[in-house]
Amino acid sequence: MNNKKLKAFHVIIRKNEIWASYQKEIAEDKYYFARSCIRQNIFPAAENLYINILKDVLGKDIFDDIKQTTCTGIAYHSGLIPMETIMTVVARQFALMNEAGYENFVVSCVTSFGIYVEMLETWKHFPETEQKTREALKRATGMTFSIPKNLVHASDVIYKFRGEIAAKAKYRLVNANTGEPLKIVDHIGCHYAKIFPSHGIGGAEYPYVLAGLIDEWGGRQVDYPERRHCCGFGFRQYLLKSNRSYSVTNSKKKFDSMLPFKPDLIIANCPGCTFFLDRWQYVIAELDGKTYGENGYGIPVLTYEEIAGLLLGYNPWDIGLQTHQVAVEPLLDKIGIKYDPEQKYKGMGGEDIGRPELPQILKCI
């Protein structure tokens, strides 16, 4: 074996060792679902689709609690509220889970997932902070809490049951015209594994939670230089209008890096990442006259449950894909999914919900 082959062999072995060391327990059933404030506002149908897939397709018990509040993660990471406050908010969420009779906590938002893990790790290493949190929660609400038996991100659960979903799917991530696997970029939200790698499937270097879906559902992973680069959200970068150029520049760096590989789709597990990788393609097109998909379109950016929903045969408009800036029709055509273009901007009762103003450069229909 020459030196080049030996080096490549050692890289593969090391990658497998790292990946194997970052596995995690994912509960089989009986989930308490923690919603995301961002997702409900940006892609309002996604979480209901997730619950529907778990209940109706996989036959799981998942509880959607009306008493929840936001985790306040955006305010926390923006320096607007102290750690003690968010600890008490997290403790209340756990108390609501206990009150509902559940032990397994499933988090919809990647930022929230990072928050919950950070609080659990802090309490583990600094027990006095947990005691102070318990006292604060008791004073504020009269509630007590128990730490979840199992805490995972929502994409972890889809990953766990990826085989069952594939078995029930009507479509694959395959070009229906050519029979070739679709080329797919996976984008992992930074707060999923970069803060606490042991809590992410595959860790921070080789996360597999979305790549595993690509492999199982028939697609082909796209590896490119900026694969692990941040989408550019960065709370302070976006919340301050004067800093938003930093955000769009980060996204543009990713798009420019993946462009030579001509991906058909980007799959993401963070609502902020999905939003910015979707919306910034419109902004870049307006600023630079540049598009990244085929024939003047952008690259569709969908979440793990939106892709699962499409493959399972859900109507694209019923699961809210018209709320994405980048048109999904080219992707639907490649997979062979039938859809009615006239229903794209119709509400649940058939009423017209209005059409967005078409951009000058990026094709959106």
Side-chain angles (χ1 to χ4, degrees):
M1 185 179 291
N2 60 39
N3 288 337
K4 186 175 181 180
K5 288 184 177 179
L6 183 63
K7 184 177 180 181
F9 177 74
H10 285 157
V11 168
I12 293 172
I13 293 297
R14 177 57 179 155
K15 180 177 178 180
N16 289 338
E17 288 175 347
I18 293 173
W19 185 83
S21 68
Y22 289 116
Q23 297 307 295
K24 62 194 287 187
E25 179 186 354
I26 305 170
E28 287 282 344
D29 201 354
K30 300 186 182 305
Y31 309 108
Y32 181 90
F33 187 54
R35 281 187 177 259
S36 164
C37 56
I38 297 179
R39 290 179 64 119
Q40 291 179 69
N41 285 281
I42 299 174
F43 304 114
E47 289 182 326
N48 286 341
L49 171 63
Y50 181 82
I51 293 170
N52 187 279
I53 289 173
L54 261 66
K55 282 186 175 181
D56 297 343
V57 177
L58 299 173
K60 303 300 178 180
D61 176 2
I62 181 167
F63 183 66
D64 183 23
D65 196 346
I66 196 173
K67 297 179 183 177
Q68 284 179 39
T69 64
T70 173
C71 78
T72 68
I74 294 177
Y76 171 63
H77 284 299
S78 299
L80 299 177
I81 66 170
M83 191 174 192
E84 293 77 7
T85 299
I86 200 164
M87 281 186 176
T88 308
V89 172
V90 168
R92 179 181 177 274
Q93 304 285 62
F94 291 161
L96 290 174
M97 176 194 68
N98 302 146
E99 184 181 274
Y102 289 79
E103 297 179 313
N104 304 316
F105 201 85
V106 176
V107 188
S108 175
C109 178
V110 162
T111 298
S112 297
F113 178 70
I115 290 292
Y116 289 114
V117 170
E118 181 181 359
M119 299 308 116
L120 290 177
E121 290 292 323
T122 302
W123 292 342
K124 180 171 70 175
H125 294 286
F126 303 96
E128 68 278 8
T129 60
E130 180 183 343
Q131 183 56 38
K132 289 180 181 179
T133 302
R134 290 184 179 279
E135 293 169 358
L137 181 67
K138 188 70 174 179
R139 287 195 306 270
T141 67
M143 303 173 78
T144 60
F145 71 95
S146 296
I147 289 174
K149 181 179 179 181
N150 187 239
L151 188 146
V152 297
H153 185 256
S155 60
D156 293 327
V157 180
I158 296 294
Y159 170 83
K160 181 179 180 67
F161 297 113
R162 64 195 184 282
E164 288 88 336
I165 291 172
K168 296 175 181 290
K170 297 180 180 179
Y171 304 97
R172 301 271 289 167
L173 291 174
V174 172
N175 189 312
N177 297 314
T178 67
E180 293 293 317
L182 296 183
K183 293 174 288 186
I184 304 174
V185 167
D186 69 319
H187 178 79
I188 306 292
C190 292
H191 291 199
Y192 173 75
K194 286 184 179 178
I195 303 175
F196 297 97
S198 64
H199 289 268
I201 295 170
E205 295 181 68
Y206 304 106
Y208 194 64
V209 66
L210 298 182
L213 305 185
I214 298 171
D215 291 345
E216 184 70 35
W217 297 344
R220 178 185 299 152
Q221 296 182 47
V222 172
D223 196 6
Y224 65 104
E226 301 299 341
R227 187 173 184 178
R228 299 302 168 219
H229 189 68
C230 175
C231 76
F233 185 176
F235 300 111
R236 297 178 193 226
Q237 281 80 359
Y238 184 74
L239 293 178
L240 297 177
K241 189 174 182 179
S242 59
N243 286 348
R244 289 179 186 173
S245 60
Y246 293 110
S247 180
V248 70
T249 299
N250 270 267
S251 294
K252 186 177 187 300
K253 186 173 184 178
K254 286 186 70 73
F255 293 133
D256 287 342
S257 181
M258 71 177 74
L259 180 61
F261 301 90
K262 299 180 179 180
D264 299 296
L265 169 67
I266 300 171
I267 177 175
N269 70 342
C270 170
C273 297
T274 308
F275 177 81
F276 285 100
L277 292 175
D278 179 69
R279 300 302 198 268
W280 279 156
Q281 291 189 66
Y282 159 76
V283 173
I284 294 168
E286 293 296 293
L287 290 173
D288 293 350
K290 188 172 186 178
T291 56
Y292 293 94
E294 298 173 333
N295 304 317
Y297 286 94
I299 307 170
V301 187
L302 303 182
T303 64
Y304 48 93
E305 76 266 77
E306 288 175 332
I307 294 173
L310 283 178
L311 300 184
L312 287 166
Y314 285 78
N315 185 312
W317 317 134
D318 288 346
I319 64 176
L321 298 193
Q322 65 271 60
T323 61
H324 291 259
Q325 184 83 50
V326 174
V328 298
E329 286 89 339
L331 175 67
L332 303 180
D333 293 338
K334 287 177 184 177
I335 298 175
I337 295 173
K338 303 299 181 184
Y339 60 93
D340 183 352
E342 297 302 318
Q343 295 299 313
K344 183 173 183 178
Y345 297 112
K346 299 291 184 181
M348 294 297 289
E351 72 280 8
D352 192 337
I353 60 175
R355 296 171 181 262
E357 182 178 342
L358 296 180
Q360 297 179 20
I361 305 296
L362 183 70
K363 291 183 180 178
C364 290
I365 56 172

